[in-house]
Amino acid sequence: MHSLFGNAAAVATGVFAAMRAKGRDTRVVAQAGDGGTVDIGLGPLSGMFERNDDVLFICYDNEAYMNTGVQRSGATPPAARTATTQAVGEHPGNVFGQGKDLPRIAMAHEIPYVATATVADLRDLEAKVEKAMAIRGARYIHVLVPCPLGWGSASKDTILLARLAQQSGLFPVFEAEFGEVTAVLPIRRRVPVTEYLQPQKRYAHLFGQTPDTETIERIQAQADRNLSRYHIDEVEI
Amino acid sequence: MDKPFAITLDAGSSLANKTGSWRTERPLYLNSLPPCNDACPAGENIQGWLYEAEEGQYQRAWQLLVADNPFPAIMGRVCYHPCQTACNRAQLDQPVGINSVERFLGDVALQEGWQLPVEAVDSGKRVLVVGAGPSGLSAAYHLRRAGHHVVIHDAGPKSGGMMRFGIPSYRLPRDILDAEIQRILDAGVELHLDSPVTDVMAAKAEGGFDAVFVAVGAQVGKRAYVPAGESAKILDAVSLLRDMEGQQAPRLGRRVVVYGGGNTAMDAARTAKRLGAEEAIVVYRRTRDRMPAHDVEVQEALEEGVLIRWLSTIKDVDAGSMTVERMELDDSGFPQPTGEFEELEADSLVLALGQDTDLSLMQDVDGIEISDGVVHVDEGMMTGAEGIFAGGDMVPSERTVTVAVGHGKQAARNIDGWLRGIPFEHAPRPPLATFDRLNTWYYTDAPKTVRPTLDSARRVSTFDEVKQGLDEQTAVYEARRCLSCGNCFGCDNCFGVCPDNAVLKLPRGSAEGDNGRDYAFDLDYCKGCGICVSECPSGAIIMIPEA
Ligand SMILES: Cc1ncc(C[n+]2csc(CCOP(=O)(O)OP(=O)(O)O)c2C)c(N)n1
Ligand SMILES: [Mg+2]
């Protein structure tokens, strides 16, 4: 069923309730972008979590409103340039300290299953979807999907960037059950955040003639914080 | 359009949106040349047989291997494996232990009694091969496979050439050597021992041969002039190693000096130790990095207690002692005398200063050009005389068993072409699969399996084989470490990462895709993003401009 922008969770909840009323055991999966999930759709989604409706909700996070022309969403990371967070003068693109970390918001609802994943590890993603489908109640999977157009990156680097997001620590890949982190994908080859940021034009203003080391350091600090917050291991190879 | 306002596609599918129309470049599956194959002097398809071996298809792996080289068990023991030096995996952790896997396959084949296939129709042509060494045997085998009648003549009492008379049995056990040679004879090759050819043209005419391949090797030890007293004991390394195959082991004494820095010098010194010498000292005029001997051989010799005196030459020899002069390298790296002398106690001196050829059998043949002790051949390995081909140690090249085997194959192909009047042409060489074309993320880290080695204390006293083989499990593990450089190994990555589901998976083994792969691109939907190229672990996909 193709719903409207922002009401996927509401529609999914309705479908689930209707099927239950009819005595049918139909599994329901809802999918939406980050804008539709963390901003406009957040109310119904939070309600769906609270009621623990038997729905798997999958968010494809490309970190902005892409199909309307790259506007900032609540999932846009700090310092990223979007059409509504231009990097001009002293403004560094999207501001620090705002935005919503939806996997953590989902965890705060203490639903049975929350997981993050990226398109760089398809077997991991597949395993998480399978696991989610074996569980009843509200489940949430948040998938990082680079957007070549919106990020200003080469199409061929799409998987590479998703991988670097995880390997730099900026995007933690984990699973949580009933509000507790239960598994974390380790980092195999740790890279500094610059390796992830530099190939993206939305961060080009950080790498001008005089690199904006202060901002880069703040982003690096976020990655470092994820490592301790999620106890991400670095695997020695 | 009969669809409602603002609706362009049917619900449930976006197949009507042919994203292929956006494309400016398209992907193509392309097999490129793995560095191991590129480096193999015998032209083996190493990546190909490792792939079969890793799947547990040992017989298929072996068949693919012997299509190029009939001696896997010998190779797995004596080849200096330039393939491993070239292996891309070295840049990741350590090179794949190709040589160990080759030996494993060779040994399995001998245990199982697998035979060499001869399927070609009889050509009615007769070819004479002179010399039953690695080159001659290899040529004979390939000529037989091409359907020709092959007769080998060898001057010696046993076949194998330098594999028997130059390589000690602790490196190549004789039962292995015999078995791999016998398999070639079983394929229908005729061998005559103790039958030297003294005049190649006469032999050709007498036997009614259509072509001849001469591979008599370089078996004469070089005798540099060293002033010596009457009772000084001097012999050359080639004779020493040859005598090891006789009834009576040579007597060398308690302290043995070997003069030279090549593999033969190492073999001679290690043999001397096994014959009971308390000390075996190699005297070499330059430094270790300039030594022609291969590193493994030097390493194993040192482990066995062989001593090496670098930067030294021998001035003269007497009974029980010799005079050694210390050398110095000049600016251009040449050793120069220093005038500093030293006495060295020694019972015998073994000269390992290289080998010469004996080419008297073709000396007076019209058109054949011999200079510096080697015969000149053209690209097709033919000498200046029509129908007379040559290879192995007697033509200019590196002198190893594997190079000789490669020569035999090359010669056989060219002889076959010449006999049929269709000149042999090399298939065009695909581009080299260099390390930068791989996406190494997908290969898990796994260091090389080290072959068990005989304890050095035990090995100096016996002629038992020093290096042991790998068991099946480790051999398969080793084969699985292969990165399959430049060749699709069916990992499904392209199929998984394509954002447009434009990679089609064909039935396994159907080989109906580009260049014989089991995948194809659906160009209606491939928009040319290049993700499959970036994420292909083995670099087996390239982008080409849209025509
Ligand atoms: C109710 C409503 N408000 C606004 C829009 C316009 N609109 C269409 S897509 C979109 C942005 C979608 O962003 P996101 O959910 O992140 O998906 P993306 O395009 O990035 O994949 C917006 C604002 C709409 N279709 N409906
Ligand atoms: Mg979005």
Side-chain angles (χ1 to χ4, degrees), chain A residues 66 79 91 110 112 115-116 119 124 139 150 173 183 186 210 217-218:
Chain A
M66 292 308 183
H91 305 288
E110 308 219 341
T116 63
V119 287
D124 176 68
R139 290 143 289 144
V173 174
T210 42
E217 271 165 29
R218 288 181 78 180

Side-chain angles (χ1 to χ4, degrees), chain A residues 5 33-36 40 62 64-68:
Chain A
F5 171 61
D34 53 295
I40 182 169
N62 55 16
Y65 293 79
M66 292 308 183
N67 81 56
T68 42

